[in-house]
């Protein structure tokens, strides 16, 4: 109990000085602080033709052409079968095909793979990741996330927080009902094993920014465990006081099916297990199973693989190539 109280006190001590709102980071003030720092926005996108163009257009108009806060917009086309790449390119992004970045490496799949390839394909000192399925995007998403990084040199990672409503198939919007995997899987795991991170309201959210120097020092899980893994690994790399969160207000996006959320939960649990093992906090005679038996309508059963691969820190790859 004493340990739990100390962890809670640590979170409370961190929360106030390291939490802010997007409105606290006006673009004009950020331009004064930007100086020669470059900012890249990276969007991983797979079959997001309906939304990716609008997001890129807002960034291009408001933050590239109007003020110059953002230096490049990179969309990583993650093997889309629709017009995602065309819509992003028309809106003004530089589009790269996921498998063509570092093409000498065997290709892997998943969101984390797209993020890692986006990091490799971009060049900014600060990298902002934004999901491409957002229906509530505004330029304040970017300015809010880069604000603490531009103003405070001791901040290395900024995570977004927001209200996440759930829109059901009936069209009814339920406030605070989004983020089901966050509440049922990620938050309990963080509170149990990494309680210092309990103050992050949206640990699995897809909007966050960090200094390239930090991102290149940590591995990227290639599937949906990537956000969980980055939080834990960056905590170990830079420490809690170098991490912050910014309230962006409201986030609406495409919801996934319960079956898809189950697979995501399995990937996050395997990601957490690998971090516990790596940190010497668990010892096991055998690895956990990476298959998940799911039941659908009429009792139909499907055995799915929820294994997660991992890309090494990008800096280690660069060093290996330099030596070679």
């Amino acid at each position: 109990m004493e340990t739990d109280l100390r962890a809670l006190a640590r979170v409370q001590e961190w929360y106030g000085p390291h939490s802010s709102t997007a409105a606290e980071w006006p673009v004009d003030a950020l331009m004064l602080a930007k100086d020669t720092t470059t900012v890249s926005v990276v969007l991983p996108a797979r079959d997001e033709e309906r939304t990716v163009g609008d997001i890129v257009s807002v960034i291009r108009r408001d933050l590239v052409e109007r003020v110059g806060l953002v230096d490049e917009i990179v969309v990583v086309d993650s093997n889309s079968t629709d017009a995602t790449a065309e819509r992003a390119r028309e809106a003004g992004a530089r589009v790269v095909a996921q498998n063509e970045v570092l093409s000498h490496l065997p290709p892997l799949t998943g969101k984390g793979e797209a993020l890692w390839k986006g990091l490799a394909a971009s060049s900014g000192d600060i990298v902002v990741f934004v999901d491409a399925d957002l229906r509530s995007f505004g330029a304040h998403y970017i300015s809010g996330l880069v604000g603490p990084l531009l103003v405070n040199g001791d901040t290395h990672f900024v995570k977004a927080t927001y209200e996440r409503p759930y829109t059901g198939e009936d069209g009814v919007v339920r406030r605070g009902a989004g983020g089901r995997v966050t509440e049922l899987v990620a938050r309990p795991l963080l509170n149990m094993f990494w309680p210092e991170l309990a103050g992050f309201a949206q640990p699995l959210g897809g909007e966050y920014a960090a200094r390239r120097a930090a991102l290149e020092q940590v591995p990227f899980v290639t599937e949906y465990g990537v956000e969980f893994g980055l939080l834990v690994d960056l905590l170990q790399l830079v420490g809690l006081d170098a991490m912050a969160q910014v309230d962006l207000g409201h986030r609406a996006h495409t919801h996934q099916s319960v079956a898809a959320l189950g697979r995501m939960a399995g990937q996050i649990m395997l990601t957490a297990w690998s971090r516990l093992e790596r940190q010497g906090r668990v010892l096991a005679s055998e690895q956990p199973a990476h298959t998940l038996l799911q039941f659908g309508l009429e009792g139909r059963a499907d055995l799915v693989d929820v294994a997660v691969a991992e890309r090494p820190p990008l800096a280690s790859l660069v060093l290996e190539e330099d030596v070679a």
Side-chain angles (χ1 to χ4, degrees):
M1 181 65 177
E2 184 180 349
T3 301
D4 292 344
L5 291 175
R6 283 202 302 269
L8 177 60
R10 179 72 180 99
V11 170
Q12 290 174 327
E13 175 188 336
W14 169 85
Y15 189 89
H18 296 84
S19 299
S20 59
T21 66
E24 296 177 55
W25 307 104
V27 172
D28 290 345
L30 297 184
M31 289 305 299
L32 294 175
K34 186 176 189 290
D35 196 20
T36 60
T37 303
T38 53
V39 176
S40 298
V41 178
V42 174
L43 294 90
R46 181 174 185 178
D47 296 335
E48 302 295 354
E49 64 179 5
R50 291 177 296 177
T51 51
V52 68
D54 290 339
I55 297 172
V56 171
S57 294
V58 171
I59 301 171
R60 169 68 58 182
R61 182 190 67 224
D62 294 348
L63 301 177
V64 176
E65 297 172 351
R66 191 169 293 171
V67 294
L69 182 66
V70 170
D71 297 279
E72 68 171 344
I73 309 168
V74 178
V75 170
V76 181
D77 181 17
S78 186
N79 305 309
S80 296
T81 58
D82 66 2
T84 290
E86 291 84 347
R87 298 291 175 270
R89 196 174 289 112
E90 290 167 359
R94 177 164 64 89
V95 178
V96 296
Q98 178 175 299
N99 291 342
E100 292 179 6
V101 179
L102 301 177
S103 58
H104 61 287
L105 300 175
L108 296 175
T109 61
K111 181 183 181 183
E113 171 77 345
L115 294 174
W116 190 75
K117 292 293 186 68
L119 178 63
S122 62
S123 60
D125 303 315
I126 292 174
V127 181
V128 187
F129 292 118
V130 176
D131 281 350
D133 66 344
L134 297 178
R135 300 196 301 268
S136 57
F137 182 80
H140 69 285
Y141 273 43
I142 307 300
S143 57
L145 289 170
V146 302
L149 294 163
L150 288 175
V151 172
N152 186 353
D154 293 330
T155 300
H156 293 272
F157 175 80
V158 181
K159 188 84 177 181
T161 181
Y162 22 54
E163 180 188 352
R164 296 180 69 178
Y166 175 77
T167 304
E169 294 182 1
D170 54 6
V172 175
V173 178
R174 298 168 176 82
R175 291 189 61 185
R180 290 165 287 175
V181 177
T182 291
E183 299 304 326
L184 298 175
V185 180
R187 196 178 307 288
L189 282 170
L190 290 175
N191 277 265
M192 282 189 286
F193 300 112
W194 297 278
E196 310 99 306
L197 295 172
F200 282 95
Q202 297 292 345
L204 300 185
E207 287 67 54
Y208 44 99
R211 300 190 188 280
R212 173 175 297 276
L215 290 172
E216 290 186 348
Q217 296 293 326
V218 293
F220 277 56
V221 172
T222 59
E223 302 291 341
Y224 278 109
V226 60
E227 275 86 18
F228 191 98
L230 285 174
L231 264 184
V232 172
D233 292 342
L234 285 168
L235 172 67
Q236 192 169 28
L237 178 70
V238 303
L240 186 63
D241 285 333
M243 306 171 79
Q245 65 181 342
V246 174
D247 191 339
L248 303 182
H250 172 86
R251 184 186 198 267
H253 67 112
T254 304
H255 298 292
Q256 300 203 47
S257 67
V258 171
L261 294 178
R263 295 189 289 274
M264 186 185 302
Q267 292 168 351
I268 290 166
M269 293 176 74
L270 286 172
T271 300
W273 176 272
S274 68
R275 269 62 194 162
L276 290 169
E277 196 170 40
R278 193 170 298 167
Q279 293 175 9
R281 300 173 65 182
V282 295
L283 296 174
S285 58
E286 58 184 55
Q287 293 297 304
H290 55 81
T291 51
L292 175 66
L293 187 62
Q294 294 186 303
F295 294 90
L297 297 176
E298 301 176 354
R300 177 182 173 180
D302 289 310
L303 188 65
V304 296
D305 190 348
V306 293
V308 293
E310 189 170 286
R311 287 297 193 185
L314 194 60
S316 68
L317 194 66
V318 171
L319 287 172
E320 288 176 5
E321 291 178 348
D322 286 345
V323 172

